[in-house]
Amino acid sequence: MLNWVIALAAGTATGVISAFGVGGGTLLVLYLTFFTSLCQITAQGINLLYFLPVSASSLPSHFKNGFLDKGAALPAILAGAVTTALTAWAATGLDVEVLRKCFGGYLLLIGLWELLGRKR
């Protein structure tokens, strides 16, 4: 029962953060790897599946409130789709420890950027 409560709490927290569009999936991967002992590749796959309904449920609100710039979105979507396909193919061939280190490095860089980045 406690596992379900923890999973619901993790889903709620990542859902709220995902609705803002700021990395709920990243927290989901951390939860899955640290608390459920899933390997990095499996956690990433679950994160990709998680992203579909989460983005579909929050996108209408962002669209309705005018928070989408189609001119900026199209090139980002196209580039993201191509690089995601290539990187996912490469990631499935990498050792899990290499993936964990890359993911950890990414989190550190993003954290430092947010802490020390320029003021808006």
Side-chain angles (χ1 to χ4, degrees):
M1 180 70 176
L2 183 60
N3 287 344
W4 271 94
V5 172
I6 294 171
L8 284 172
T12 300
T14 58
V16 168
I17 294 169
S18 292
F20 294 129
V22 290
T26 300
L27 290 178
L28 181 64
V29 171
L30 291 172
Y31 162 73
L32 291 171
T33 55
F34 288 132
F35 295 103
T36 67
S37 302
L38 288 175
C39 74
Q40 182 85 21
I41 295 172
T42 303
Q44 288 171 195
I46 292 169
N47 179 49
L48 292 172
L49 183 59
Y50 162 87
F51 184 74
L52 295 173
V54 168
S55 63
S57 64
S58 62
L59 189 58
S61 177
H62 283 73
F63 182 77
K64 177 184 161 197
N65 290 306
F67 297 132
L68 295 178
D69 181 335
K70 293 174 189 160
L74 186 59
I77 291 167
L78 292 174
V82 170
T83 55
T84 298
L86 293 172
T87 307
W89 172 76
T92 57
L94 290 175
D95 180 56
V96 173
E97 283 305 311
V98 172
L99 286 175
R100 289 177 68 95
K101 289 178 182 174
C102 289
F103 186 62
Y106 164 77
L107 291 176
L108 285 172
L109 287 174
I110 295 301
L112 288 171
W113 178 269
E114 288 298 316
L115 285 173
L116 306 174
R118 64 184 169 96
K119 300 286 182 206
R120 289 181 171 72

